[in-house]
Each structure stands twice: as structure tokens, then as C-alpha cells.
Amino acid sequence: MKKRWVLKSFVAAAVLTTSGLALAQSNTFKIGLILPMTGPFASTGKQIEAAARLYMAQNGDTVAGQKVELIVKDDTSAPDVTKRIAQELVVNDKVNVLAGFGLTPLALATAPIATQSKTPMVVMAAATSSITQASPYVIRTSFTLPQAAVTLGDWAPKNGLKKVVTLVADYGPGIDAEKYFKERFVLNGGQVPESLRVPMRNPDFAPFLQKVRDIKPDALYVFLPSGVGAALMKQFAERGLDKAGIKLIGTGDITDDDILNGMGDVALGVVTTQHYSASHNSAVNKKFVAAFEKANAGMRPNFMAVGGYDGMRVIYEAAKKTKGGSGDALLEAMKGQLFESPRGPMFIDAQTRDVVHNIYIRKVEKVNGELYNQEFDVIKDVKDPGKSK
Ligand code: DHB
């Protein structure tokens, strides 16, 4: 019985493969979107899901004659859960593509599943440089921390900041943010007297900020994952670091558009580097922001939303090109895509499978009574500096 089944499937697979229509029998194109929808990183899940649904509302839910099915799963930001869900999506649901990945450990836990099952895995949020090297099936539409970190490492010393203490969340993206900022900043003549690392979950900033106050650097450089910046900002002011003349700079994760407006005037003047601001001045972005806010009761899209929106674009275009394909064919069609994103021009480098985009230097300012990251300079087409190491 079993033998006959195996033989039959083998023949069927051979026929379908030779005819090049391996998936023609299914008329659904399935996207398994795994996100933290609950827990401390739920804002990432909420932003990406909203963006994915907006993309589908704007572009239709059929590609190449197939119905697009978006299967959203909550991994509660626990890596073992992400991995189990990915396995189920591949084996039971037979998804064409895995997507989402709100944090680096969640992406890394899933990479072996993508490799074993030859399923393209679109990373829409996680941003440690090495993630694309964890599987040849990873395509990234988010960003990498080294892109933002080196840009700030160039900007800071030219703008009067010579002595900077770094403070990062103690895991992949934080280590990248620290390393690449420090290397570039020191190369440019800067000095880093202290590098502090705080726990990724529920950090208590008090003892760290006290230390910074005692050192009294020109600036404190910070990376924290999306959603955590407001707590840091509040304590920075409460402990009087701003009054002591210490500037706050960092990667754009700390002035996340999702929570920026609630931070109050303490955020004014904070300089960050990143690939996306909701106030990016382009027709494509204005349209995106307006549609996103309209569909989500006024919620402002942040950089996570853009990673999700662009990820859907990459998936849709690859699905069109391969007529609803899967596996290696779908993966190949994702590579090399070049298009205008709400962030600006964006490119999926076919060699690295990583995103190449502009990094903007921004300052928090009040615009019509609301706080925004106002872009005032740009470094164009930044590749991940982590790839040349
Ligand atoms: C990662 C998560 C974030 O929320 C962020 O802003 C940057 C990086 C990550 O885990 O890779």
C-alpha cells in the first residue's frame, strides 16, 4: 500500500515537474505570515499585518489566476513557537512562501525549515546582518542595523559629537548596531569610553543611564527594538541627561513612528539614521501613509509596516512572474527586484538576497502639532556593510 503510494507520488511529481507546472493543480497561492501578535513585540505584528492586508486590498487577491491566501499566525515572539508554526505551514498548509519574522531569533529559528523544504522565506522585520546567511532561501525586505549604524558613525563626529557612549539591546541587532557604529565612529576620530548592553526584554534603564550621566559624553547612541524607545526616552529625561547636555542619537528604531508622537517634547531634536520615515517626502509614500491610516483608524505606519508592504510586493511580483510558482523558481523571481517603495528606491541584491536602499539622517521635529522624523540628508543605495566582512 505504502509502496504503491510512494510510486504513484513519484510518478506524479515527475510528470508535474517535467511539465513545469508543479503547482498547477492547486489554485491557491499561500503566504504563511508568522508574527508576534501578542506580548512585548505585538506592535511589530500589528504593523506588518496591517501593511500586508493593505497591499492585498490595493492589488487584489489573485495572482496569475490563483487566489492569494494570507495565513497569519501569532508566534508570541518565542523562537520555538515560530519554528513549530513554520513547520506546520510548510507540511500541512503547503504554503508557497513563509514571511514575517518580527525578531532576529525568530528568523534564525526558522531558517533551517526554509532550507530543508526549499521554501522562500521573506524577512519583513528582523535586521541582524547575518540572517540572510542562515539560509539560501532568505530574502530580506526590512533593513540591516549596520546600514544605519555606519551612516551615524560618519555623521556624528562631523557634527561635534566626539565622545559617545553606546547602549544597545543585548542580542543580534544590538551587537551589530554597536559594532558597526563604534568601528566607523572611531575610524573617524571619535571616542567610545563605554559600551553598555541591556536585556532584550523589559530592560530597566536606570542603572545604565546613571553610568552615562557620570561619564558625561557628548552623546548617548542607542539601539533598542521597535516599541521600546519610548521608555528609554522618558527615563533619559527623568534622570536629567538632557539637562546635563548629553545628546541622544541612535538608529531609527528608537524614534519608531508607531510610538513617536506619544513621546512628547523630550524627543525633539533627537537625530537618528534609518531607511524609513512616515514623513518621507514622495508621492508614493504620501499615498501609502494616507491609505494605511485610513484603513487602520489613524494608526501611523512605521518601518515595520514598510518592510511588510514591500515584502508583499516582492512576493506578488515573483508569483506573477512564475505563474504562482514555488521553491527555487519563486525564490529566483524574488531576487533582483528593483522598485520605488514608500521608503524610496529599493533593490533586492541578487547576490546577497538583502535589501539595498537609501539611509536618511533625520531629526525629530514638530509638524502641524505632531512629532515626525524629518529627513535632512541622505546616503543613497546603501548595501549591508556586514556582507563585505
Ligand atoms: C529587530 C527587531 C526590531 O524590533 C528592530 O527594530 C530591529 C531589529 C530584530 O530582532 O532583528
Side-chain angles (χ1 to χ4, degrees), residues 22-34:
L23 271 162
Q25 86 260 43
S26 138
N27 38 29
T28 351
F29 183 90
K30 292 184 183 173
I31 304 169
L33 185 61
I34 316 175

Side-chain angles (χ1 to χ4, degrees), residues 307-356:
Y309 191 75
D310 293 336
M312 288 297 282
R313 194 268 182 202
V314 168
I315 295 169
Y316 262 58
E317 291 303 315
K320 272 188 216 163
K321 200 168 164 192
T322 59
K323 308 214 172 355
S326 64
D328 289 311
L330 188 64
L331 179 77
E332 286 311 310
M334 290 179 178
K335 296 178 186 173
Q337 287 193 31
L338 171 67
F339 56 98
E340 191 185 350
S341 149
R343 73 185 81 184
M346 138 155 190
F347 173 54
I348 302 293
D349 184 330
Q351 255 76 52
T352 61
R353 292 165 279 105
D354 220 335
V355 58
V356 178

Side-chain angles (χ1 to χ4, degrees), residues 44 102-105 125-128 143 145 171 173 223-226 253 303-304:
T44 295
L103 296 164
T104 290
T128 302
F143 60 103
L145 264 312
Y171 77 117
F223 162 80
L224 293 168
S226 177
D253 310 75
F303 58 96
M304 293 300 185

Side-chain angles (χ1 to χ4, degrees), residues 46-66:
K46 177 189 67 179
Q47 286 273 346
I48 293 178
E49 183 186 3
R53 295 206 185 280
L54 175 64
Y55 190 90
M56 291 179 70
Q58 291 175 333
N59 294 276
D61 63 356
T62 48
V63 267
Q66 294 189 24

Side-chain angles (χ1 to χ4, degrees), residues 231-249:
L232 181 274
M233 200 75 72
K234 188 162 169 272
Q235 291 191 30
F236 186 86
E238 276 169 9
R239 309 219 137 234
L241 275 77
D242 54 343
K243 303 256 166 13
I246 302 167
K247 295 257 187 300
L248 184 59
I249 58 173

